[in-house]
Amino acid sequence: MAISVENGVFYLETANTLYQMKVDSFGVLNHLWYGAKTDDCMDYLLDYPDVGFAGNIYEAENQRTYSLNTLPLEYAAVGEGDFRVPAVSVTHADGSNALALRFQEYHIEKGKYKIPGLPAVYAKDDEAETLTIVLKDAASGVEVSLRYGVLAQADVITRSVVVQNKGKENVVLNRVHSLCLDIPYGNWEWVHFHGRHTMERQTERAALVHGIQESGSTRGTSSHQQNPAVLLCEKGCTETSGFCIGAALMYSGGFQAQIECDQLEQVRFVMGIHPDTFSWTLEPDACFYVPEVILSCSEQGMETLSHRFHQVIREHVCRGRYQLSKRPVLINNWEATYFAFDEKKIEEIAEQASRLGIDMMVLDDGWFGRRDSDFSGLGDWVVNEEKLQGGLGRLVEKINRLGMKFGIWFEPEAVSEDSDLYKAHPEWVIRIPGRNPVRARYQLVLDMSREEVVEYLYRAISKILTENHIAYVKWDMNRSICDWYTAALPAGRQTEMPHRYVLGLYALLEKLTTAFPDVLFEGCSGGGGRFDAGMLYYCPQIWCSDNTDAHDRVFIQYGTSFFYPASSVGSHVSAAPNHQTGRVTSLKTRGTVAMAGSFGYELDLNKLSEAEKEEIAEQVSSYKGYQRLIYEGNYYRLRNPYEDNMAVWAFVAKDRKEALVQGVVLRAASNVLRGSVRLRGLDAESFYQSAQDGRVYTGRALMAGGLLLPRTEGDDAAFTICLKQVPEVKNKN
Ligand code: GLA
C-alpha cells in the first residue's frame, strides 16, 4: 500500500520517498515530512514556540504557543493568524476572507485521479493510488479537497485541489494554488529557469532570502521568461549528492511559484495559477478544479530528481502513438525560406532531404490565406494557391512519393486583422470594448473561452488533416496576452477569462489529438514560450527555442533538462552564420547539439556543398542509430556550461550496455591538457569499448578516472563518444 493512515497520520510512500501529514487535535492538517524514508512518524519535529505577535485559533483557548503562523501546514488559508503566503484565499458574500480549514474525511482509491478539463498525470490502476483529504470551513460551507496521486515506483507524488462551495452564497476564489509545502528545517536554495524569447530556461540558483522569492507569468502562457518548474535544494546539493525537491506545474497559462523564508527560517513553497490574472466565482454546489503539480524529491542530488521527472513525463504525461516511439527526423522550411516559398521550392528542399535520409518535410508558416508576411492571414486555415499552385493535396502527394511524411504549421489561437476570419468575426478576438486591442507581432488573439471559436478551429484544422495525408502538426502561439476580456462573461467575472482561455485550448487539443491519433503534435510558442508539462500531455515534443545557435542552445538545453526529457526537446540544425545571433559554428557542432533532443533540420539544403550534404546524411544516420538511447536512456549533466568551459552530457541506456557522451568546448585554449570527464551510471564491473578509438575501458575506470576527451580546435567545438559494453577487455594497456 503506497498510502496508509495510522492515528490521524497519513503516510504516502514511494520506492525511495515518504510524505507525511497529520490531523492535530483541532482538526488542522499539519505537514510533517517530505523526504527520505524514515520508518518513523515525524511529528516529533513539530515545535510550538512562543513567538510574539502570533495569533491563536479560538479552539486553542489559552495555548498561546499554538499558532498557525508557526506550524507547518498542509494547505494554508488566510484569516486565522498565518501571515505567510497562503495557498488559498477567497472572498465571501459578506466581503470577508477567512477560511478555517478543518479535517472532515478522507478517501483512498486505487489508480490515479483525473481532473475534468485539465491535463493530469495518468497511470494504470496498479501503478498509482489516490488520497483525497477533505477540509471544510464550517462557517461558509467551502470544502477544499486535497488530492494526492502516489506513483510509488516512479517516486512521484502529484497534488491537486478541488474547491466546492457547499454554502448558500457565492464565493469568489482569489487564489487556489496546487501546491503548498512547508519545510521548517534546513538551509535552502532555489533553482528556477528564467529567460526571454530565443533564450529560454536559463538556470539560476540562489540562496533564499528572508521574505518571498517568486517566479511566474501573467502572460496567458507559461512563458519564455519563467518556466513553471522550480527546484528547492539544500545548500551544497550537487548533481549527485544532497537533498532536493522539484515541482513542475502541469499548466500552460499564467502561473506563480512563491517561496517564502519566514521569521523562523521556515520555508513555504506554493505554486499554482497566477492570482494576479485569476479569480473565479463559485456558485453554491459548484466545484473548481485546480491544475496539478508533479512533485518528486531526491536524496542523491539533482540528477536523480531529473531522471524521475524525465520518466514520469515520458511514461505518465506524454500520450499517443509517438509518446515513446521514435519520431521522424524532420526538415522544416522556416529558416530556409521564411514566407518566400512556393510549391517548387518546398519540393526542392524535400527532394534533397529525402536523399539524405530525412523522414519528414514540415511546411511552416505562410502556406495559408494571404499569409505573405506576418501582417496578414492568421485565422484563414485554407491553402494559399498562389504559393502552392496545385493545392496542398498535390504537394503532400509529391512529398509522400519521395518516401517522406508531411507535416504542417498552425497558429490556431491567433488572428490577423487582415484576414477573412477577422472580417467575418471581429467579435471573436480578445479586445476590451471601447479600447484598442494590443497587437504583438501585428496579431490579435482569439477568445478561446468561447465554444464557437474552439468549434471553428476544430473544423478548420480537422478539414486540413482529413483531406490531406498529414503526419505532424506544429502548434504555434506567437504572443503574450494582456488585455483580457470576453463577451461571454459578465463584468464581475472577467477575471475568469485567462483560465477559461487555457481550458478552451486544452479542449481543442484534446478533441484534435483524439480525432487524429496518428498525427504527431509538436508544441511551440515562438520556440519555448509554452514549454510545460501541460502542453506535453498533448504534444510529446515542443520546439525548444527559436534560437538555433548551437552555442546558445547548449545553455537552453542544459536548463530544459532539469525537468523535461530529451525526447520532448525539439532541436534543429540550422544555417551558419546563425540567423538569431550571427555566430558561426561548425556543422558538426550544430548536429551534436541538436541530437540531444527530437532531431531535425531547418535550412536550405540546396545551398550546401556536397561535403556538407554528406555530413548531414551521416548525422541523420547516426541519430537514427542513437535515437532510442537518447529517448530512453538516463540523462547525465556531466559538465555545467555556466561553471566550466564546456558542456558535457551523456545518455546511458537503462541496462547500462551503451552510453553516448557528447559535449561542446565553448572556448578554445592553447597549451592545455585535454579535458576529461568522469562518467556516471555505467556498470563498474563491465568493459566498454569506445566506437571512436576502439579502446576498451572498465566501467569503474570511466567513472573514477574519467574519459579523456578528444582534443578540439576552435570555439564551440563538439565531440561525441559512443561506448558499448563488450564481453571482455580486448586491448587493456
Ligand atoms: C514562431 C516559431 C518559429 C516559426 C515562426 C513562424 O516564431 O517558433 O519556429 O514557426 O513562428 O512564424
Side-chain angles (χ1 to χ4, degrees):
M1 278 286 278
I3 302 171
S4 56
V5 189
E6 236 175 85
N7 304 327
V9 179
F10 294 87
Y11 297 81
L12 279 53
E13 265 180 88
T14 71
N16 297 288
T17 72
L18 174 65
Y19 192 106
Q20 280 183 17
M21 308 161 259
K22 177 188 178 172
V23 181
D24 71 15
S25 55
F26 303 115
V28 171
L29 188 60
N30 294 167
H31 178 77
L32 296 184
W33 181 249
Y34 185 36
K37 280 193 161 177
T38 58
D39 299 325
D40 212 333
C41 175
M42 303 303 282
D43 62 352
Y44 68 86
L45 288 174
L46 291 179
D47 193 15
Y48 299 88
D50 186 359
V51 175
F53 288 82
N56 313 116
I57 58 172
Y58 211 72
E59 303 101 291
E61 297 178 345
N62 291 330
Q63 296 182 48
R64 56 177 280 157
T65 59
Y66 185 95
S67 174
L68 300 193
N69 199 29
T70 53
L71 274 174
L73 300 176
E74 188 59 24
Y75 201 67
V78 291
E80 282 208 299
D82 181 359
F83 295 98
R84 294 168 287 182
V85 284
V88 57
S89 133
V90 306
T91 305
H92 298 290
D94 64 4
S96 65
N97 301 114
L99 277 181
L101 296 177
R102 299 291 182 270
F103 177 76
Q104 280 294 110
E105 57 188 18
Y106 74 89
H107 315 276
I108 298 173
E109 293 152 80
K110 251 183 159 326
K112 164 72 179 51
Y113 64 86
K114 297 188 174 65
I115 311 178
L118 285 168
V121 163
Y122 62 89
K124 296 197 200 99
D125 276 0
D126 58 0
E127 290 172 326
E129 287 174 28
T130 292
L131 167 68
T132 305
I133 300 179
V134 184
L135 308 175
K136 189 166 184 172
D137 175 51
S140 67
V142 169
E143 259 187 24
V144 173
S145 298
L146 307 180
R147 311 204 80 188
Y148 300 81
V150 184
L151 280 76
Q153 283 318 310
D155 275 318
V156 159
I157 292 176
T158 65
R159 287 188 57 175
S160 181
V161 178
V162 186
V163 184
Q164 190 174 11
N165 181 1
K166 290 209 167 158
K168 294 201 169 54
E169 300 193 80
N170 286 358
V171 174
V172 178
L173 309 177
N174 302 316
R175 146 196 302 243
V176 201
H177 276 337
S178 311
L179 173 73
C180 176
L181 190 66
D182 275 359
I183 314 172
Y185 300 101
N187 190 348
W188 296 93
E189 296 175 335
W190 72 309
V191 184
H192 68 122
F193 304 94
H194 68 102
R196 58 184 186 276
H197 178 221
T198 72
M199 211 58 198
E200 300 87 338
R201 291 173 297 288
Q202 300 302 296
T203 310
E204 190 163 71
R205 178 171 175 165
L208 297 190
V209 294
H210 290 96
I212 299 167
Q213 26 264 295
E214 174 167 344
S215 75
S217 157
T218 53
R219 294 170 173 266
T221 58
S222 46
S223 90
H224 301 85
Q225 287 72 13
Q226 295 279 357
N227 192 266
V230 171
L231 265 163
L232 256 184
C233 44
E234 276 195 312
K235 197 165 182 223
C237 173
T238 67
E239 283 288 345
T240 52
S241 68
F243 183 68
C244 53
I245 297 173
L249 188 66
M250 218 166 157
Y251 190 61
S252 312
F255 77 96
Q256 180 186 57
Q258 290 182 318
I259 300 172
E260 179 168 1
C261 179
D262 77 359
Q263 55 179 342
L264 305 178
E265 326 289 328
Q266 304 194 96
V267 171
R268 171 169 293 166
F269 178 14
V270 296
M271 194 178 202
I273 297 177
H274 202 301
D276 284 4
T277 43
F278 169 84
S279 81
W280 195 273
T281 300
L282 212 52
E283 285 158 7
D285 285 332
C287 285
F288 182 77
Y289 295 89
V290 167
E292 86 179 3
V293 89
I294 308 171
L295 205 58
S296 189
C297 67
S298 148
E299 274 192 293
Q300 292 91 38
M302 294 181 278
E303 178 174 284
T304 299
L305 192 76
S306 293
H307 290 170
R308 290 182 184 153
F309 273 95
H310 294 175
Q311 190 185 348
V312 75
I313 288 176
R314 270 173 59 70
E315 295 178 11
H316 300 280
V317 172
C318 295
R319 301 178 298 167
R321 183 178 149 194
Y322 289 98
Q323 175 197 349
L324 300 171
S325 75
K326 292 190 166 187
R327 313 220 184 103
V329 173
L330 63 86
I331 176 133
N332 178 305
N333 72 304
W334 180 242
E335 287 199 20
T337 65
Y338 297 101
F339 291 111
F341 63 85
D342 59 11
E343 194 178 320
K344 191 162 157 283
K345 182 78 208 167
I346 300 300
E347 278 168 40
E348 280 168 11
I349 296 176
E351 271 162 24
Q352 256 318 325
S354 76
R355 273 185 231 133
L356 306 180
I358 294 172
D359 306 306
M360 181 161 75
M361 175 76 226
V362 174
L363 182 58
D364 209 278
D365 194 355
W367 60 268
F368 51 89
R370 293 182 297 282
R371 185 73 170 165
D372 297 318
S373 71
D374 41 16
F375 285 104
S376 57
L378 289 170
D380 297 342
W381 303 110
V382 277
V383 70
N384 177 330
E385 294 216 12
E386 275 169 35
K387 281 184 181 169
L388 306 180
Q389 296 85 355
L392 196 55
R394 198 175 78 176
L395 177 63
V396 177
E397 266 170 39
K398 282 189 184 166
I399 305 288
N400 287 167
R401 251 184 271 131
L402 293 169
M404 293 176 86
K405 294 176 191 292
F406 186 87
I408 199 160
W409 181 96
F410 287 94
E411 192 180 348
E413 301 148 73
V415 63
S416 308
E417 285 154 276
D418 183 2
S419 71
D420 293 340
L421 180 67
Y422 183 74
K423 278 175 201 123
H425 289 289
E427 78 284 7
W428 281 3
V429 307
I430 297 179
R431 174 183 198 157
I432 303 172
R435 291 178 193 270
N436 288 322
V438 173
R439 292 183 181 135
R441 205 194 183 195
Y442 319 110
Q443 66 198 50
L444 303 181
V445 187
L446 290 174
D447 180 350
M448 298 295 289
S449 75
R450 292 170 74 136
E451 269 173 38
E452 62 271 40
V453 171
V454 170
E455 194 46 41
Y456 161 79
L457 290 171
Y458 178 73
R459 270 187 282 110
I461 297 168
S462 48
K463 187 165 190 297
I464 297 283
L465 300 187
T466 309
E467 290 175 359
N468 304 283
H469 189 214
I470 287 172
Y472 160 109
V473 164
K474 177 171 168 188
W475 188 293
D476 210 340
M477 165 53 168
N478 278 313
R479 57 164 291 180
S480 307
I481 312 169
C482 49
D483 45 347
W484 294 102
Y485 180 85
T486 176
L489 287 171
R493 298 182 66 159
Q494 286 300 322
T495 45
E496 295 178 15
M497 164 66 171
H499 182 58
R500 288 186 188 272
Y501 179 97
V502 179
L503 293 177
L505 166 69
Y506 287 155
L508 178 57
L509 278 162
E510 182 66 32
K511 217 168 154 186
L512 281 167
T513 49
T514 308
F516 300 95
D518 290 332
V519 174
L520 167 61
F521 284 76
E522 173 157 356
C524 177
S525 174
R530 207 158 54 184
F531 203 119
D532 56 68
M535 284 311 280
L536 287 169
Y537 185 70
Y538 307 97
C539 310
Q541 67 190 54
I542 298 177
W543 180 225
C544 183
S545 176
D546 271 351
N547 188 340
T548 52
D549 172 10
H551 175 92
D552 283 353
R553 272 290 184 124
V554 159
F555 293 86
I556 297 168
Q557 292 177 194
Y558 176 83
T560 306
S561 78
F562 280 85
F563 283 89
Y564 306 105
S567 58
S568 69
V569 175
S571 46
H572 301 168
V573 172
S574 63
N578 180 267
H579 291 194
Q580 292 77 43
T581 61
R583 189 179 279 120
V584 175
T585 54
S586 70
L587 185 51
K588 181 178 175 189
T589 297
R590 284 174 273 152
T592 307
V593 173
M595 278 191 204
S598 280
F599 187 58
Y601 288 82
E602 188 155 338
L603 74 176
D604 189 347
L605 297 170
N606 295 300
K607 292 189 177 148
L608 301 184
S609 67
E610 284 312 309
E612 286 172 314
K613 285 183 209 160
E614 248 172 60
E615 195 175 339
I616 288 183
E618 272 165 35
Q619 286 179 347
V620 172
S621 129
S622 39
Y623 180 74
K624 288 182 180 176
Y626 297 141
Q627 194 177 22
R628 213 177 143 168
L629 180 57
I630 291 169
Y631 279 20
E632 294 173 14
N634 283 330
Y635 182 84
Y636 293 86
R637 288 175 293 269
L638 299 177
R639 284 296 177 88
N640 173 353
Y642 290 92
E643 288 174 358
D644 275 332
N645 185 30
M646 65 174 84
V648 185
W649 59 91
F651 299 93
V652 180
K654 294 232 160 68
D655 63 8
R656 296 164 190 244
K657 292 210 160 114
E658 224 184 325
L660 177 68
V661 184
Q662 296 179 308
V664 176
V665 177
L666 300 173
R667 201 163 280 184
S670 68
N671 290 334
V672 287
L673 286 176
R674 281 160 63 182
S676 79
V677 64
R678 288 193 189 131
L679 303 190
R680 298 198 289 271
L682 301 178
D683 177 16
E685 305 301 326
S686 294
F687 299 101
Y688 293 87
Q689 182 164 36
S690 156
Q692 276 59 38
D693 63 9
R695 170 74 158 86
V696 176
Y697 307 85
T698 62
R700 197 182 302 283
L702 289 170
M703 293 193 288
L707 182 68
L708 211 51
L709 301 174
R711 198 174 292 286
T712 55
E713 278 182 0
D715 291 348
D716 298 312
F719 57 84
T720 294
I721 300 159
C722 189
L723 297 157
K724 280 212 167 103
Q725 235 179 55
V726 286
E728 60 191 57
V729 182
K730 291 208 182 90
N731 62 346
K732 198 171 171 191
N733 294 323

